Amino acid sequence: AAGRRRRRSSGRRRLCRRGRGDSAALAGGPPPGASSWQVIPYQEAGDLGAPKGGVGGQPSTWDLLQCSGRTTAGAPSVPAGVTTALEAVRSLYEGIPPQPSRFGRAVEWRCGPYKMLLGCDLVVFRSDEKCETSDFASFKMLPPGEPPEPTREDRLDVYLENMMCDITKAVWGSHQQGQTTWRVFNTADLPRQAGSQDVEFDANMLRDQGQRLLHFLRQQCHSEGGTYWLFRDQNSSCAELFDLSGSTDSAADQANCESSGAFGASPSLAPPLATLCLHMAKGAETTSVQRQLLQKAVHLLQPLQEENAALYAMAALQLACSYMQTPVAAIPDKGTSAAAAKEPTGPSAAARLAVALRYLEAILGLLDGASDGDGVPNHELALLAELRLQAHVTYSECVVKLVREACIPTYSAWLAEVQKASQELLKQGSLLGIGSLGQMKQLSAAFLLWRLFWLCRAKRALAFLSTEKRETECWILDRDLCEIIGDTLYGLSRFPPDDSQSLLAGQMSTAEGICKFVEEGLRSWGLNGGSADEAAPEGSAAAAPKAARPKKKNKRLTSPDTAGRAAGQEATGKQPHNLNAMFLSRLNPLSRGFGDEGLREDGLVRDDRRPAFWTEGLAFKRSLSFYERATTRLRRSAATTAGGGGACGGSGGAEASSSSTSAPGGGGSSGSGASKAAAAEDQATMKIARKLAHLYNEEARVALLRGDNTDTGEAESLLMQAHRWMMLSGDHSNAGRVLLNLSEMHARRAERPRGGGDSAAAGRGEGPCRVVEVAEGEDQAAAESAGAKGSAGSPSSDDFSEEQYCLWLKAIQCCEEASALNEGGLGRREGAFAHLRVGVHLSIRVPVQRRLLGSKRPETLAELADRHFGKALRAFDELREEREVAVCHFHMADLALQEQRIAGAPPLPKARIVSALRHARRSVEYWEREGALQYAKDFISSHIRVARLIECHPRSSAISEALEHLGGAEVKLLELAKSSASGGVAAETKELFTTKPTGEKVAVAAFRREMSRACQSGLRQGEDVERLKTLYRRVLRNEPIGVGADAAAAA
């Protein structure tokens, strides 16, 4: 294993260092546990039994090196006559450790049916008494401080080495507390260790694995005299074989090697070395190491990219992907300052992605030409086509990352700084701030268009895929691309259409001019920033104060300028304000050397179609289409899970849409990583759907707020789309709000007169329609004040049609669906108000219309109104809204009076009068409890309804009882007004009272008018005429009427 090889080599290094320190023990006598052992010097020629020594009887270099390691004072072990030569060798090889060269001994090894010639660097001892090779022993030193017993890995390494070299023994030396101990093991006993079975290894399995490996090499190594590299990654179960055979043309190899740069190699070695770099890059532990290996592979293949197009494309593609990886910022320490935390720890996003774009564009340029070449094998053509497909997808993803990680943050930072600078200039009263707003707006539009050009390039690259692949294998990339294009187009659509000519003036008239304009703007801002002083041009009013101020002396010593400074820094000598902006200024989307002509013909880039972004609303329309395309997967998933159900098409449709939204994210509960990732992506898609729904809802709101409301078809269509997307995204809360907007739109259409034109109908606010019939002689303000909050209005003269009533039913149904989506939390109150409003519209037409116009319904208007009032009353009672309950009681009492006004209608039954009186008195009780003076108009209107219903009783004293009731209510109100402080009565409430010249309040005008009407009605009937005349005179004189009226008159 690689780890064992490293440990074994380090052990040998430790052996050589310890060898010099232990030479006295070796020379002075045999180590404990061994007889007489000596190091066998490596021979350059001859067999193991040949005599030692060099040429001409002189000692060889390796003899001297080995002897130098065993020489100590007082123990002369150096042969006679070699001292002078030894000193010369030492001076010549100073600094070289006394160890044998790599593979200094040749060993023939037999493993099963295979015979191999191996190079060996094993340190071997022999006995003085015996020279047979069967008594040789390998020598190892254990690291200091470790147990004296060799580990399983040590025994395994030594067993393999001894087995290959046919050595029967192994000697381990170890240092323990200043003592050196030696232990001798038989090679056959190394697989087993006494008393420990868990550290044993199977020798038969080792031999079997060795034979398998040799069989693999015998099958794969075909070149005679070839060079191969057997490579296995650490902790890997697979071994890989690389053919590193050299070329026969050495002169050509040398010429190519000299011209290939820093990573030069012969043409024959470049592909296998590049392949090796690719394989090693896969297991690289860090990104920097991976990039170095990939860069080496790309440089090696650069001169041979046409001959090795597939290999070059794979290397460059992996290198581009490594640059596209967004680095994760480390969590700063607690002691780290905020300024230090903001400092970038690596290259900017624009710099990384610009390098990735360069590699990807080189790949695409290469593969576009290689894929059409003749004479290319079919299997290689298929590989090139697949690589070309991957390169297009990666290029599109790289552009999306460039926009998200560099363009958008840079644009946001620029916009924030320039806006701040403009505001400072405006505060100073400078005309420059006003003039710079137009330039800032033009540059802002240029940034968005420049970003759109890049996104169109990504869109065209992704269009290389088929629709099926794009929607199944690359749907996340397609979704993100469509979303960001939609965001850019929506940002462009926010510019007013009237500014289109000024926006596209000058350089902005052409795509090349836009890119040049953005390049200049990015370079200027990236170098200098966007402060108020720097934003002002030279010679302007804003720049004058800066020139007038004394220049502060810089006390810092600056280093000489280097060649690596950015453009424009030579004059200022300071760091760029924004590195991303500096790098982005060098990226022109129209001139990349790949697909430039096709990009200029794109519908979103063409110069002749650009004004239509604003004049025809093309930017907004295309943004919606891109948002819808981004949510294609969500729509298909919803359609597959459940059938379509339109907005306001019934509760069943809403439930079907709701169930369909849970399907995309339903897999997130499985707990697996893949399911969680899929759920996260579905949530991102739902977020786009919510964004689309908000856009539709906002456009519908704008359409409803326009001056003419004669045509609401556009608003209805927009709201239906908004509801659809909210349901698809699973946002039931906002879907309910959209339904409430749709309900309000249906209500407005229902309140519009059938003949068209403006309508004074009530109910255009949030509250219920407060249409109250104004009887003869009744105060208009008092009538308008009945009910809950809202604005009053007069009844329409047109008949109420079936079409209008159906619109009200749609409005109510939308509220009920909203309530069902939010489990009763949203929409219940609005639904109750809708019932109340339609009930009021129906009740005010009861005297003049019996049934709905053009309807086959058997119910009369009074019956329909009573039904809706009952539903509103029940809903408000469940919501515990006492005020709205009082409003419903008021209108239900008033409905009985409206029925009485029908021409030829019989008198009201006693049960109907009693029921209406109960509703009217409950309304009165609420206003009295809440404060009769505070709600004076509602208090007065409710008492008038009670008096009219009392008057409807079929008894002779009914009118007198009604007058007495009104008189008692007037006394209560007057007492409250007199007892309150002078400033405690509102101005509008003061107008309800009749006062003397002294300012004393003596009567309530609305009550007096109602009393006059009742007296006149009684006098016309001729019943109790004298008493009514007396009461009538008191009414006209503003004298008290009711209980205690005589005493009050006497006083």
Side-chain angles (χ1 to χ4, degrees):
R4 291 198 293 272
R5 289 197 300 271
R6 284 193 288 271
R7 285 194 295 272
R8 186 167 63 248
S9 62
S10 62
R12 286 194 296 272
R13 287 193 294 270
R14 287 195 294 269
L15 170 64
C16 297
R17 288 194 294 269
R18 300 298 301 177
R20 288 192 290 266
D22 299 335
S23 58
L26 293 173
S35 55
S36 179
W37 300 94
Q38 291 181 354
V39 176
I40 299 178
Y42 285 83
Q43 305 293 326
E44 295 184 2
D47 55 11
L48 293 173
K52 298 182 289 183
V55 180
Q58 297 296 327
S60 66
T61 302
W62 300 117
D63 287 336
L64 296 176
L65 287 176
Q66 297 298 330
C67 291
S68 67
R70 298 176 292 149
T71 303
T72 58
S77 60
V78 181
V82 299
T83 305
T84 305
L86 180 62
E87 295 297 330
V89 171
R90 282 180 175 175
S91 63
L92 182 62
Y93 295 99
E94 183 177 3
I96 299 178
Q99 61 180 353
S101 65
R102 190 85 169 151
F103 308 133
R105 180 185 295 109
V107 177
E108 186 179 88
W109 176 46
R110 290 182 178 272
C111 183
Y114 301 102
K115 182 174 68 174
M116 298 183 66
L117 185 64
L118 302 177
C120 177
D121 61 352
L122 189 64
V123 178
V124 181
F125 277 64
R126 69 175 175 83
S127 172
D128 285 338
E129 291 81 3
K130 298 180 180 180
C131 296
E132 288 78 5
T133 58
S134 60
D135 286 339
F136 287 170
S138 61
F139 174 73
K140 297 289 183 178
M141 286 293 295
L142 294 174
E146 292 190 2
E149 292 292 334
T151 63
R152 180 179 183 273
E153 287 76 11
D154 294 334
R155 291 186 291 108
L156 179 61
D157 287 342
V158 172
Y159 178 80
L160 290 172
E161 292 172 346
N162 287 7
M163 182 180 64
M164 291 179 181
C165 296
D166 195 19
I167 297 176
T168 59
K169 291 182 177 58
V171 178
W172 263 285
S174 63
H175 291 281
Q176 297 291 336
Q177 298 178 356
Q179 298 293 329
T180 304
T181 59
W182 309 91
R183 297 193 63 182
V184 180
F185 295 86
N186 291 323
T187 302
D189 298 333
L190 290 177
R192 299 177 300 277
Q193 185 172 0
S196 179
Q197 295 183 356
D198 55 344
V199 294
E200 296 180 357
F201 58 88
D202 191 350
N204 296 327
M205 183 180 295
L206 285 178
R207 286 190 290 269
D208 181 65
Q209 292 294 335
Q211 292 182 22
R212 289 173 182 269
L213 180 60
L214 294 177
H215 182 69
F216 167 74
L217 295 175
R218 184 67 182 85
Q219 285 183 329
Q220 302 298 328
C221 299
H222 304 291
S223 301
E224 292 294 339
T227 303
Y228 295 90
W229 185 346
L230 183 64
F231 175 77
R232 185 179 73 86
D233 215 350
Q234 186 175 3
N235 299 327
S236 175
S237 60
C238 298
E240 298 174 276
L241 188 68
F242 298 94
D243 186 359
L244 303 181
S245 302
S247 174
T248 56
D249 190 359
S250 58
D253 287 355
Q254 181 65 23
N256 284 283
C257 181
E258 293 176 354
S259 63
S260 59
F263 300 113
S266 63
S268 58
L269 286 177
L273 289 176
T275 305
L276 178 62
C277 291
L278 278 175
H279 282 74
M280 295 179 67
K282 294 179 182 179
E285 297 180 355
T286 61
T287 305
S288 60
V289 174
Q290 183 188 37
R291 287 179 185 172
Q292 289 177 359
L293 292 169
L294 293 174
Q295 284 174 348
K296 187 167 185 177
V298 171
H299 281 80
L300 286 170
L301 295 172
Q302 188 73 32
L304 309 170
Q305 56 179 332
E306 294 183 0
E307 294 82 359
N308 302 273
L311 187 58
Y312 176 81
M314 284 190 288
L317 189 61
Q318 292 186 28
L319 183 57
C321 292
S322 71
Y323 279 107
M324 288 169 57
Q325 294 176 0
T326 304
V328 180
I331 301 176
D333 297 334
K334 294 183 178 179
T336 305
S337 62
K342 292 181 180 179
E343 293 181 359
T345 57
S348 63
R352 288 188 299 102
L353 296 170
V355 175
L357 285 174
R358 186 172 69 248
Y359 282 115
L360 291 171
E361 287 163 355
I363 296 171
L364 292 172
L366 174 65
L367 295 181
D368 284 347
S371 60
D372 300 333
D374 298 332
V376 182
N378 292 333
H379 68 278
E380 188 172 350
L381 280 177
L383 177 60
L384 292 175
E386 183 66 24
L387 289 172
R388 186 183 182 191
L389 199 67
Q390 294 180 12
H392 276 89
V393 175
T394 309
Y395 187 77
S396 179
E397 183 180 2
C398 186
V399 173
V400 171
K401 280 181 171 286
L402 177 71
V403 172
R404 280 189 168 177
E405 299 179 13
C407 297
I408 294 179
T410 303
Y411 172 75
S412 301
W414 167 83
L415 192 62
E417 291 191 13
V418 173
Q419 286 178 347
K420 182 179 179 181
S422 301
Q423 291 175 0
E424 291 177 357
L425 292 175
L426 290 175
K427 289 180 180 179
Q428 296 174 3
S430 173
L431 295 177
L432 177 64
I434 301 176
S436 64
L437 289 177
Q439 184 180 5
M440 182 187 71
K441 185 183 297 185
Q442 193 176 31
L443 188 56
S444 178
F447 279 155
L448 292 174
L449 290 170
W450 180 80
R451 185 201 305 176
L452 184 63
F453 296 164
W454 272 112
L455 293 172
C456 289
R457 181 175 284 276
K459 177 173 65 72
R460 294 181 63 84
L462 195 59
F464 186 79
L465 277 73
S466 63
T467 305
E468 182 181 0
K469 280 183 172 291
R470 191 168 61 246
E471 294 180 353
T472 54
E473 300 178 11
C474 303
W475 70 272
I476 296 178
L477 177 60
D478 186 60
R479 178 204 64 195
D480 294 343
L481 177 61
C482 291
E483 179 189 9
I484 202 168
I485 293 178
D487 292 341
T488 306
L489 288 171
Y490 181 76
L492 288 170
S493 69
R494 296 302 91 188
F495 290 94
D498 298 337
D499 295 345
S500 60
Q501 293 184 354
S502 61
L503 288 177
L504 300 178
Q507 285 182 301
M508 295 283 289
S509 59
T510 62
E512 289 80 3
I514 291 172
C515 294
K516 185 66 176 177
F517 190 34
V518 172
E519 178 184 351
E520 295 171 355
L522 285 173
R523 184 184 298 112
S524 175
W525 177 75
L527 187 63
N528 301 320
S531 63
D533 294 335
E534 293 167 345
E538 296 181 1
S540 62
K546 181 177 179 180
R549 289 196 300 267
K551 190 172 182 180
K552 187 176 180 180
K553 185 177 180 180
N554 188 3
K555 297 182 180 180
R556 294 185 300 172
L557 296 176
T558 57
S559 60
D561 194 12
T562 60
R565 293 184 183 271
Q569 287 183 276
E570 293 81 3
T572 60
K574 62 180 181 181
Q575 293 295 327
H577 176 72
N578 191 289
L579 287 176
N580 270 333
M582 297 298 295
F583 281 102
L584 288 175
S585 65
R586 302 178 183 179
L587 299 179
N588 188 345
L590 298 181
S591 58
R592 304 298 301 175
F594 165 73
D596 297 339
E597 295 299 328
L599 179 64
R600 288 185 173 89
E601 296 300 324
D602 193 281
L604 296 176
V605 183
R606 287 172 51 183
D607 297 335
D608 56 339
R609 296 294 300 160
R610 197 168 298 120
F613 282 176
W614 298 280
T615 58
E616 301 177 8
L618 181 63
F620 181 74
K621 296 177 182 177
R622 293 298 301 272
S623 69
L624 293 180
S625 65
F626 275 105
Y627 284 138
E628 292 184 359
R629 177 178 165 184
T631 56
T632 302
R633 186 181 181 90
L634 185 63
R635 286 186 284 119
R636 290 184 177 179
S637 177
T640 304
T641 306
C648 302
S651 58
E655 292 174 1
S657 299
S658 176
S659 64
S660 66
T661 58
S662 62
S669 60
S670 63
S672 63
S675 299
K676 290 181 180 179
E681 295 301 336
D682 287 333
Q683 289 297 326
T685 309
M686 291 180 183
K687 183 180 178 181
I688 303 174
R690 284 193 293 270
K691 183 189 299 185
L692 185 60
H694 282 297
L695 290 180
Y696 277 118
N697 186 59
E698 182 64 21
E699 289 300 311
R701 187 186 66 83
V702 173
L704 289 174
L705 292 178
R706 289 172 185 166
D708 57 331
N709 289 330
T710 56
D711 185 14
T712 56
E714 179 185 0
E716 182 179 4
S717 175
L718 292 171
L719 286 173
M720 294 283 284
Q721 289 284 352
H723 174 261
R724 173 196 177 200
W725 289 110
M726 284 297 182
M727 293 298 295
L728 284 175
S729 65
D731 192 352
H732 291 175
S733 177
N734 284 321
R737 290 182 174 87
V738 174
L739 284 173
L740 295 182
N741 291 337
L742 193 59
S743 171
E744 180 63 23
M745 191 209 65
H746 288 314
R748 291 190 182 189
R749 292 178 61 187
E751 288 174 342
R752 190 187 313 148
R754 290 186 295 108
D758 222 356
S759 174
R764 295 191 179 179
E766 295 180 355
C769 180
R770 296 182 55 194
V771 179
V772 180
E773 168 137 9
V774 181
E776 182 181 356
E778 180 178 349
D779 184 31
Q780 178 73 18
E784 291 177 350
S785 66
K789 57 186 177 180
S791 58
S794 59
S796 175
S797 59
D798 293 336
D799 292 340
F800 203 76
S801 64
E802 174 70 18
E803 180 184 0
Q804 290 174 294
Y805 185 68
C806 289
L807 289 174
W808 277 111
L809 293 182
K810 287 184 178 180
I812 294 171
Q813 189 174 8
C814 288
C815 295
E816 291 175 351
E817 288 187 12
S819 177
L821 287 176
N822 295 273
E823 298 180 355
L826 180 69
R828 291 182 62 191
R829 188 172 185 271
E830 288 78 6
F833 276 127
H835 279 293
L836 182 58
R837 291 169 69 180
V838 67
V840 171
H841 279 285
L842 291 169
S843 66
I844 62 175
R845 289 173 172 84
V846 167
V848 296
Q849 184 180 353
R850 182 169 178 78
R851 286 184 171 84
L852 294 172
L853 184 64
S855 174
K856 297 181 180 180
R857 300 176 185 271
E859 300 91 349
T860 62
L861 261 64
E863 294 171 346
L864 293 174
D866 185 67
R867 179 192 305 167
H868 287 288
F869 282 142
K871 291 182 179 181
L873 178 63
R874 182 168 57 254
F876 284 127
D877 185 60
E878 292 175 355
L879 293 171
R880 300 184 181 277
E881 296 194 10
E882 295 183 358
R883 177 175 178 177
E884 310 307 334
V885 169
V887 171
C888 293
H889 283 304
F890 171 85
H891 284 292
M892 295 184 76
D894 187 69
L895 180 60
L897 297 176
Q898 298 290 350
E899 294 178 20
Q900 186 65 27
R901 292 183 57 197
I902 298 176
L908 291 175
K910 184 176 181 181
R912 184 76 173 95
I913 295 175
V914 171
S915 175
L917 266 174
R918 187 183 302 114
H919 288 297
R921 283 170 177 159
R922 287 186 179 178
S923 179
V924 167
E925 290 172 359
Y926 173 79
W927 304 119
E928 289 181 353
R929 184 171 63 254
E930 294 296 320
L933 194 61
Q934 182 180 358
Y935 300 99
K937 293 183 178 181
D938 300 316
F939 177 81
I940 293 171
S941 298
S942 298
H943 277 287
I944 290 176
R945 263 58 184 178
V946 173
R948 289 184 181 180
L949 289 170
I950 293 175
E951 188 180 350
C952 292
H953 272 289
R955 54 176 179 264
S956 58
S957 60
I959 295 178
S960 300
E961 293 176 5
L963 292 173
E964 186 176 355
H965 175 81
L966 292 174
E970 185 183 39
V971 170
K972 291 180 181 179
L973 197 58
L974 288 173
E975 289 177 353
L976 290 173
K978 292 176 182 180
S979 62
S980 63
S982 59
V985 181
E988 59 179 6
T989 305
K990 292 179 180 180
E991 297 176 357
L992 301 178
F993 296 95
T994 301
T995 59
K996 292 182 179 180
T998 58
E1000 181 185 1
K1001 299 178 179 62
V1002 295
V1004 179
F1007 283 152
R1008 292 292 165 168
R1009 284 194 293 270
E1010 182 63 23
M1011 292 177 188
S1012 298
R1013 185 201 61 78
C1015 291
Q1016 292 174 7
S1017 177
L1019 291 174
R1020 284 194 295 268
Q1021 294 177 8
E1023 296 180 0
D1024 201 3
V1025 175
E1026 294 300 329
R1027 189 169 186 275
L1028 287 176
K1029 286 182 179 181
T1030 303
L1031 292 173
Y1032 194 21
R1033 283 194 294 269
R1034 290 182 179 180
V1035 169
L1036 296 177
R1037 296 171 183 174
N1038 292 328
E1039 296 176 355
I1041 297 176
V1043 179
D1046 295 336

